[in-house]
Amino acid sequence: MKTKKLVSLDPSSVNIRLGMCAAALAGTAAALPQEAGATVVTFNTPTAIPATFAGIYVNFLTGAIGASGGGTPGFDWNPYANAPNLSFYWGPAANGAGGVATGVGTNVYADLAPGTTVSGASPFSNIAAGTNPTYLTTGSHILGFRFLNEATGIINYGYLTITTSSGTGFPATLQGWSFENSGGAITVVPEPSTTALLTISALALGALGLRSWRKQRAA
């Protein structure tokens, strides 16, 4: 006659599984696109930046990207080639446009890490050429910024992701950007692809642990 063997659950194991599930759910929520009317607005529009003096002109609010300032009304940011390095030009200084710098008065644009907060307390620079040592290397970089939201008349804070190449910074591609549209601070979050990978890993680990636990119960 078969008898069932009772298996006691290890509290620490249960906590770990619950933690994995929580991480998976959080990652899934973070990877979902923002709903209409959300406070954080995101544009995912990968655009190559030509190695020319014109470069591209970007309007953070509308998402418009053009080959000239006149063709992109209200542009906020203009990445371009400045004999011959990648450089950043901002909209009129009166609009409060600018990028996050490594410190007050440094005029060196910072490469932000996930978890960094961009707000009115951040140090900003709007130097046209600036010193961009990080942005002249190969990799993906995060540039914090502020700009005037023409629809509300309020300075908004955000960040963009740009991939660059060693040497002059070119080839370079603007991957996308996010901003908080009420004038509040915004925190840099991991790229959606990274979040998705973390979510999948958490789900996979949780599934393996659950399968192992079921086998132990069956035994």
Side-chain angles (χ1 to χ4, degrees):
M1 180 178 180
K2 292 183 179 179
T3 58
K4 293 184 178 180
K5 181 180 179 181
L6 297 177
V7 179
S8 61
L9 295 178
D10 182 357
S12 62
S13 176
V14 173
N15 289 336
I16 291 173
R17 304 297 174 229
L18 290 175
M20 288 179 176
C21 291
L25 290 173
T28 301
L32 292 176
Q34 296 289 335
E35 296 180 2
T39 302
V40 175
V41 180
T42 298
F43 287 91
N44 292 313
T45 54
T47 304
I49 301 171
T52 64
F53 189 70
I56 59 174
Y57 292 77
V58 183
N59 184 311
F60 291 137
L61 177 63
T62 65
I65 300 177
S68 68
T72 314
F75 81 89
D76 303 296
W77 183 59
N78 168 215
Y80 71 105
N82 180 42
N85 294 338
L86 172 67
S87 297
F88 306 144
Y89 178 73
W90 303 89
N95 288 353
V100 174
T102 55
V104 177
T106 64
N107 295 327
V108 178
Y109 293 112
D111 183 7
L112 305 182
T116 303
T117 297
V118 181
S119 70
S122 303
F124 288 92
S125 173
N126 57 12
I127 293 296
T131 304
N132 309 327
T134 299
Y135 295 89
L136 304 183
T137 62
T138 298
S140 179
H141 313 290
I142 299 174
L143 175 66
F145 61 80
R146 67 182 179 188
F147 72 102
L148 177 68
N149 183 321
E150 298 97 325
T152 62
I154 298 174
I155 295 296
N156 287 173
Y157 302 95
Y159 62 90
L160 62 86
T161 301
I162 181 174
T163 54
T164 61
S165 305
S166 180
T168 64
F170 295 100
T173 301
L174 168 63
Q175 299 296 341
W177 67 92
S178 297
F179 67 90
E180 207 277 355
N181 66 2
S182 71
I186 186 171
T187 300
V188 177
V189 299
E191 290 296 305
S193 57
T194 302
T195 303
L197 287 174
L198 291 173
T199 302
I200 292 171
S201 298
L203 288 172
L205 288 172
L208 286 174
L210 182 59
R211 185 179 303 172
S212 176
W213 176 73
R214 284 177 175 173
K215 286 182 177 180
Q216 291 177 7
R217 285 194 65 183

